[in-house]
Each structure stands twice: as C-alpha cells, then as structure tokens.
Amino acid sequence: MATVSLQNLRKTYGKTEVLHGLSLDVADGEFVVLVGPSGCGKSTTLRMIAGLEDVSGGEVRIGGQVVNHLEPKDRNIAMVFQNYAIYPHMTVRKNIGFGLRRAKMPAADKARRIEEVAAILSMTDYLDRKPAQLSGGQRQRVAIGRAMVRDPAVFLFDEPLSNLDAQLRSQMRLEIKKLHQRMHTTIVFVTHDQVEAMTMADRIVIMKDGHIQQVGTPAEVFHQPANIFVAQFIGAPSMNLLAGQAVAGSITVAGRSLARDAGQTGPITVGIRPDDLRVTDGPSSFEGRVVLLEPLGAETLAYVDIGGQEVVARADGRNPPALGAVVQLHVAPENLHLFDGDGKAVE
Amino acid sequence: MSLYRNLSIRQKQVVWAWGFLALPIVFYCVIRFYPTFNAIVLSFQSWNLLGPREWVGLDNYAKLWDDPVFWKAFRNTFMYLILGTPISLVISFVIAYHLDKTKLLHGTLRALYFLPFLTSTVAMAWVWRWFYQPVPIGLFNNFLASMGIAQIDFLNSTSNALPSILLPAIWAGLGFQIIIFMAGLRAIPTSYYEAARIDGVSTWTILWEITLPLLKPTIVFLVVFSSIGFLRIFDQVFNMTTNNPGGPLDSTKPLVLMIYQTAFSSFDMGYAAAQTVVLFAILLVVSLIQLRVLREKP
C-alpha cells in the first residue's frame, strides 16, 4: 500500500514536449482513473510511474520515495497491459508465478500463493491450461493474477479492458472494482472510455494534450465540469452547447430568456446535459422541430432544431414525439452549465 | 455456357480453383515430378547420355556402397551440415539479437549484413579463394606473414580445406538468417519484455524463457532451410577448388559435386542418378526428423 505523487512531471521526445508539468497526488488505497482522448499523455504518465519511460522533468514519488531513477522492478508496482502480456508458451500457473521469480520464498510458499491468487480470480480449474485455451476475460484475469501475486504497493492498469467485447468489459469492470474494494491497494487505471472512468474511479483525472483538465470525483466532474472539454468528454450523449448572451439576471439562448444570473454580461456558452433537457407538455424553455429520433427503450433521444441549433433532449420511451413534430423542451435554469469565452466554467 | 450457369456456387468455385491451379500443376508435373521419377528409374539403369538405357538392377547402388569416394563425400556433406547449421544459426541469432536493440546506423548495418546474400556465390567464392592464397598473393597469409606468424595452408590441406570453404558459405547465408531472426524478434510484443522488466527477472531468464521459446517457429524454419542449404552445397566447393574440384584428395567433396562429376565428367548417368536418389532420401529424412523434433507440442 502506498501513495503515488507526481510533481510537475514532464516528458519530452526530442524537442516535442508531450507532458507539460503534471502534478497529481494519489492517496493510499485510492482508485484513480486517468482518462482522455488518444494522445493526451495518459499512457505515458502511467509508463513513467511504472519506470518504463524516463522522466524528462519533475518527480515521481511512490510511498513518499522519489523513484525517478529506480528500475521498474524496484518500485514495488505491478502493471496490467492492454494486450495482457501473458506468455503464450507458458501455462496459467507459470504465467502467474512469473511475477514471483525474483521473490525469495520457498517453492511451497510460491505454489500456495499462486493457488490463492487463482482462487480469488476463480481460475483454479484453469491453472494448467495455456493462454490459447482461455477466453478473453480469462486471459485478462491471468494478467491481473500475475500482477496480484507479488502483492505490490501500487497496481497500474493500461487500458486493460479495451480488447474485450462490450458485455465482458462491463463484467470485468465490476470484477476489478470488487477486487479493489477487497484489497484496498492503490490503483492507477488508464482508459479512453469515460464510462469506465465514471463507474470505477474514486477520483477521475481528465487529460488533454499533456495537461490535466480536471481532477475530481465522478459526481464532481459530471455535475461541475471545469471547462467545455470536460463537459463534453464526460457523459453520453455529449452535453449540448449553445451560444447565449448574458445580461443582468438572465441569459438569452435561442431567442428565449432564461432566469439565471451568470454574474457577468456579454456572450457566453451555455451547456445543457441531454438528461436535463426534457420533451414536455408543461412550461417550456425552448420550442423546436424534431429532426431525428433514437429510441433506447426506456427513453428516446430526440434531436431537436431550436432556432438553427441542434440539441439532444430526452423524451419518454413509451410516448416519443413524432418525427418532424414541433415540441416543447424544458430545462431547469439551475441545471445550465455556463462557460466564458475561454471555455472555462463560470461560477 | 449454360452448363456452367447451372452449377452450384460451390461447384463454380471448384471449377475456378482448378482453373487457376492447372498451370502450376502442369509445371510441377513436367519440370519437377517427371524428372524426379525419371531419375529414380534411371538409378536402376546404365546410360551414357547418348546410347540406349539398359536395366542393371541394383548394380548402381551396389557400386555406391563399395565406393570409398561416395562415403568420403557422404561424410563431408554431413560435416558441412553439422558444422554449418548450428554455427550459422548461433552467429546470426547473436547478431540479430543485438542489431534489434541497436538504433544507431541500424539500416546501414542491416544492409551490410544482407549484402553477401545478394552477391553471386561464384564471385564470392573466387574472392575468398584469393584471400586464402599463399604469400605474396593471399590476403590472410600476407597478414599472418607481416605479423611474423607461419602461413596456413587453407585450401591445400586436407584438414583445413573443408572449414575454409565452409566459412564463406556460412558468411554468405548470414544476411538472410539475420533478417528472418529480426522479423521473428520484432513479432514478439514489447509488452512481454516490459512485463518481465516489472517482474524483475534477469536478462538471461528473458532470453531463455521468453525470447527463444517464442522464436521457435522461426528457429524451426531456419534450421530446416539452412540444413537443406548445407546438404546441397556445391558452388562454393566447385569454385574454390576448380583445378581439382572437391580436392585435395576429395577432402571437400560434397555429394552434389560427386553427382555432377559422375554425370558430366564420367557420363555415368545411372550411377549419378543413384547418388541423387540417396541425396534425396537424406534430405527428406533430415528435414522430417528436424520438423518432428522441433515442432511445437500441441
């Protein structure tokens, strides 16, 4: 068990800087997810924590100790790779045991430890199989088992679920979360999937272009996004963004005036989550024509054209509006997200 | 046309498949299989290339059995194989393993190693033949003499000649083997090595337990390929010992050279065919044994 601390972490390849001074503190036993689009530097950050990439500037501390110049093996970490990195010519037992090669313990203890880990992952019956005889999810478990067997201070996961199909992915998501609740090991998990980040993390770190955009609990980053990027990245479907004008005490959007004090005047970007924008019969905020319908079962997503801007709103799944119909949309003013000209959230 | 139209999709696929296969099949039958079977038949006959063929039963094989030159050539051929294959594989693996990790001048180095493979064997053999000459012509002996070391009889000694010929043969094949080994090494995902680094196992363990087992298909291919190459060695020997092919005293003569001489110097076609059949059998058996021994257990 250990804390992980990044201080002003930088990474350059030649003249190109890809991480621009990242600072982050991961508490002991915390599950932190780094999320962001491809090329945002999340995997590089993880690999620098692991010691697989050199640190160009700043510090990586694990358990309070600066590990910048320590070999991966001396950092007391374990890593699960996207392609699992389990050896095809070795049995599950040998694969899991590979992590114990360097451990100074009697062979009997090692064998018992492998059995224990296999039991936790329900892989006992598969110990003598080769990876080719396992399903994707089982291979994933072997990879996790190999990481667990050494009882490391920190677990690092590099997009471990992206090679699995959708159903298996959500199942493994749960299993990893359960595993964390049981073992309370510090976990740093990298993914590009915001749903994975939201469902698993204690705290989410949203990254873009080598900068941290926001660090917060899933609820914080969803309800109080720090900027337009976070607002659009977290949540599906993406937040609607509309151009508005703020005046004292109200905001004009798509020709309608909404009662909300922006604390400033002038042009402003208004964000509305599709969940907060409902097709309604009652008092309405906007009026528009339905241009597309996406039935999801319980709900239907309605794409509505309001004054030349298209927004996504939620409608009842049983009584969806008709295509081409003119509908009323309602949003509570307190649910508006406001962003200034630089894309930063307005308090 | 209506006949074709009435066929099922499967039948049409079969028709097309056989249509495309027809040419290679004809080629193989005329150029490969017919001569092969003809050679087997010929090995039971006597023929001087011009006169009629006469059946002689097993006479050619009996002659072969009693021919000391054949056994000498047989032994030489296996010396080329037993020395050549492991030495060339170990050298090419060591080079490929390190070249794979070298970033500086990687492309140039790889090209330099591959160059001999592109060069004509005959030209190469003659250059090496020059290297091996005594003072004042040969490069190696000039060097030895300048250092005050006694000259070495490279090609004129019955004990030195075979290794001296084998050396350029190994060198010529290295480029190809290095390229294949490097392709095999590249195919191993880097995350395997990264995982091993995190687990902290030694470089030696990584080499023996990860790299080499995962290279097994590559190694099987190269062992079989290189063995066949050494069992069929001819050009190097013929060109480096032209004034007395296979000499001195048959000490470098491989089976293929003996076959060539029997056929085109002595014009004893039947006897040459019998030798060919034996060589064919050896190649077949060696390849099958290697495949069986090295093949991955299911």
Side-chain angles (χ1 to χ4, degrees), chain A residues 2 7 36 40 61 88 118 153 160 170 201-202 208 234-235 258 262 296 298 312 317 337:
Chain A
Q7 299 298 328
C40 71
R61 289 167 182 269
S170 55
D202 291 331
K208 184 196 171 197
I234 300 291
L258 304 175
L296 298 176
V312 188
H337 299 269

Side-chain angles (χ1 to χ4, degrees), chain A residues 47 52 79-90 95 98 131-132 139 143 146, chain B residues 184-202 205-207 209-215:
Chain A
R47 291 170 60 83
L52 297 172
M79 185 155 165
V80 177
F81 292 82
Q82 182 172 359
N83 66 355
Y84 318 142
I86 54 175
Y87 305 121
H89 56 289
M90 296 183 193
N95 262 297
F98 206 77
R139 280 179 217 180
R146 195 176 64 186
Chain B
L185 286 169
R186 287 280 157 92
I188 301 174
T190 46
S191 61
Y192 286 7
Y193 296 119
E194 291 176 343
R197 267 178 77 195
I198 289 175
D199 287 339
V201 292
S202 68
T205 310
I206 293 174
L207 176 66
E209 302 206 13
I210 300 174
T211 311
L212 286 175
L214 290 173
L215 274 183

Side-chain angles (χ1 to χ4, degrees), chain A residues 39-259:
Chain A
C40 71
K42 56 191 190 298
S43 279
T44 308
T45 308
L46 193 78
R47 291 170 60 83
M48 284 163 89
I49 299 174
L52 297 172
E53 297 276 352
D54 284 331
V55 174
S56 312
E59 274 182 359
V60 178
R61 289 167 182 269
I62 295 176
Q65 188 198 359
V66 178
V67 295
N68 282 24
H69 300 294
L70 285 188
E71 281 289 312
K73 64 183 161 80
D74 300 321
R75 297 188 179 201
N76 198 14
I77 46 134
M79 185 155 165
V80 177
F81 292 82
Q82 182 172 359
N83 66 355
Y84 318 142
I86 54 175
Y87 305 121
H89 56 289
M90 296 183 193
T91 59
V92 170
R93 190 187 300 278
K94 275 198 88 178
N95 262 297
I96 293 179
F98 206 77
L100 287 178
R101 275 307 179 81
R102 221 169 50 101
K104 288 183 181 65
M105 57 164 91
D109 286 359
K110 286 186 183 179
R112 204 179 56 235
R113 180 86 189 113
I114 295 169
E115 295 279 349
E116 273 171 24
V117 167
I120 292 173
L121 296 166
S122 336
M123 289 294 290
T124 308
D125 295 341
Y126 302 96
L127 275 174
D128 294 312
R129 292 210 191 166
K130 293 263 181 80
Q133 296 162 287
L134 301 177
S135 70
Q138 289 167 335
R139 280 179 217 180
Q140 179 67 73
R141 277 192 211 132
V142 176
I144 295 174
R146 195 176 64 186
M148 279 170 59
V149 77
R150 272 189 306 133
D151 206 8
V154 181
F155 270 121
L156 306 174
F157 287 84
D158 189 6
E159 308 218 15
L161 305 181
S162 40
N163 285 2
L164 301 176
D165 64 49
Q167 199 181 352
L168 208 52
R169 199 179 311 158
S170 55
Q171 188 192 329
M172 285 309 292
R173 215 159 66 196
L174 284 178
E175 285 189 30
I176 293 174
K177 198 168 177 175
K178 275 186 200 154
L179 212 60
H180 177 246
Q181 282 170 359
R182 187 163 154 180
M183 311 204 307
H184 298 293
T185 311
T186 311
I187 293 183
V188 182
F189 189 107
V190 161
T191 179
H192 60 264
D193 182 350
Q194 58 96 14
V195 178
E196 251 168 53
M198 291 291 284
T199 49
M200 299 172 85
D202 291 331
R203 274 195 307 157
I204 297 180
V205 179
I206 296 145
M207 294 178 63
K208 184 196 171 197
D209 299 336
H211 291 284
I212 290 180
Q213 301 294 311
Q214 188 174 3
V215 181
T217 64
E220 278 166 6
V221 298
F222 186 81
H223 295 296
Q224 293 140 34
N227 55 38
I228 289 185
F229 176 78
V230 174
Q232 289 231 289
F233 193 80
I234 300 291
S238 264
M239 182 184 278
N240 297 301
L241 291 177
L242 299 165
Q245 277 290 334
V247 290
S250 74
I251 299 162
T252 310
V253 186
R256 298 287 191 100
S257 180
L258 304 175

